Amino acid sequence: MLAATLGAELVVHPQAFREEGHFAGSDAERLTGLREMMADPGIDAIWFGRGGYGSNRIAAAAMRDLPPAAGAKTYLGYSDGGFLLAALHKAGLRVAHGPMVQDIMRQGGEEAAARALNWLISADAASLEPGLDGPAFAFNLVVLSSLMGTGLEPDFTDGELLIEEVDEELYRVDRFLFHVSSQPGFGKLRRLRLGRVQLKSNDRPFGAEMEAVARHWCEEAGVPFGGSADIGHDVLNRVVPFPVGNGPHFLS
């Protein structure tokens, strides 16, 4: 198994196999499973299995009354898991946007899983998004739009923001960027960079390319556009650690 080859042991909580409607168990079951893993001192990192539909429903509760062992762990995932990344980051924990366990099921996914495990095990700099040069945050755009203006919104002061998206029409992406860039916190950013955006076809031509849309909303908000980023809903997704504490610990 890949994890054993790299010197790690994977522990899967039983909650991961539960189902309730759209979700992997009820809100209470999902929160309990997460909290039990956070509280276990024998667990060094929590690697999200899937994107985590419904993470928004438990994110605020996950950051309250943290068990002592929670602060010693690293938390890695993306997609809807971004709600949990934002919440746990607000609580002062070490989090990163990067490949999930399920990505190994994609073609070429073993490379993505190895990238994630190498960073979790040994902080391998080769796993990181190569353009990082200061404090950074990374989110799926729809998730980011949903959490902006809530208590989960990060403090973006002097940071850069990397965004990616999948299965949305460009007119909808334009709406999400309007909302995100209209929030006061967005204006505190050092720059925005655009990861891979896998678009659905509009029913009629939108009249602009994705990068032009991102540049437009950056200009409206007075935030520099920094070009492309190597993140996305794919096996090429790279790791983007969020800043920790008072310093830019993005390379450790």
Side-chain angles (χ1 to χ4, degrees):
M1 185 178 179
L2 177 62
T5 301
L6 296 175
E9 178 185 359
L10 295 186
V11 178
V12 182
H13 194 282
Q15 173 272 318
F17 302 104
R18 293 179 181 156
E19 292 184 27
E20 182 166 309
H22 196 68
F23 309 125
S26 68
D27 291 350
E29 287 174 326
R30 288 180 288 112
L31 179 60
T32 296
L34 174 61
R35 299 279 293 188
E36 287 177 356
M37 297 295 270
M38 293 171 73
D40 187 340
I43 301 293
D44 297 314
I46 294 181
W47 187 20
F48 298 168
R50 301 184 65 181
Y53 289 132
S55 295
N56 57 302
R57 300 168 70 99
I58 65 171
M63 64 191 285
R64 291 196 289 264
D65 301 320
L66 293 175
K73 304 183 196 316
T74 302
Y75 303 80
L76 177 66
Y78 72 106
S79 193
D80 278 61
F83 289 108
L84 289 172
L85 297 181
L88 298 176
H89 167 73
K90 292 275 282 192
L93 303 186
R94 175 185 169 91
V95 308
H97 178 286
M100 301 175 292
V101 178
Q102 189 192 26
D103 286 329
I104 202 167
M105 304 300 293
R106 302 176 187 262
Q107 184 175 357
E110 187 165 321
E111 204 173 300
R115 190 180 311 122
L117 286 167
N118 280 327
W119 184 75
L120 289 170
I121 294 167
S122 61
D124 182 12
S127 298
L128 297 176
E129 201 284 330
L132 299 178
D133 62 1
F137 302 84
F139 286 99
N140 169 267
L141 177 59
V142 172
V143 170
L144 176 64
S145 181
S146 297
L147 64 81
M148 291 293 281
T150 74
L152 302 181
E153 180 183 329
D155 180 356
F156 290 124
T157 303
D158 297 326
E160 72 167 345
L161 175 63
L162 286 60
I163 57 171
E164 52 85 16
E165 190 49 78
V166 64
D167 290 338
E168 295 287 350
E169 295 90 345
L170 189 47
Y171 79 90
R172 290 173 59 83
V173 169
D174 183 66
R175 288 178 184 168
F176 295 131
L177 279 170
F178 157 71
H179 174 69
V180 167
S181 64
S182 298
Q183 301 301 310
F186 184 86
K188 300 177 181 179
L189 284 165
R190 178 165 49 91
R191 68 184 180 195
L192 176 124
R193 285 198 287 141
L194 183 63
R196 287 176 289 282
V197 177
Q198 301 174 39
L199 294 169
K200 290 181 179 178
S201 297
N202 276 16
D203 59 355
R204 62 192 302 167
F206 185 77
E209 297 299 320
M210 180 64 235
E211 182 176 317
V213 172
R215 286 182 178 275
H216 169 80
W217 292 114
C218 281
E219 290 171 6
E220 289 290 309
V223 170
F225 178 75
S228 63
D230 196 5
I231 64 168
H233 260 70
D234 54 40
V235 296
L236 301 178
N237 193 21
R238 303 295 284 269
V239 176
V240 180
F242 290 16
V244 179
N246 296 319
H249 302 290
F250 57 95
L251 293 180
S252 62

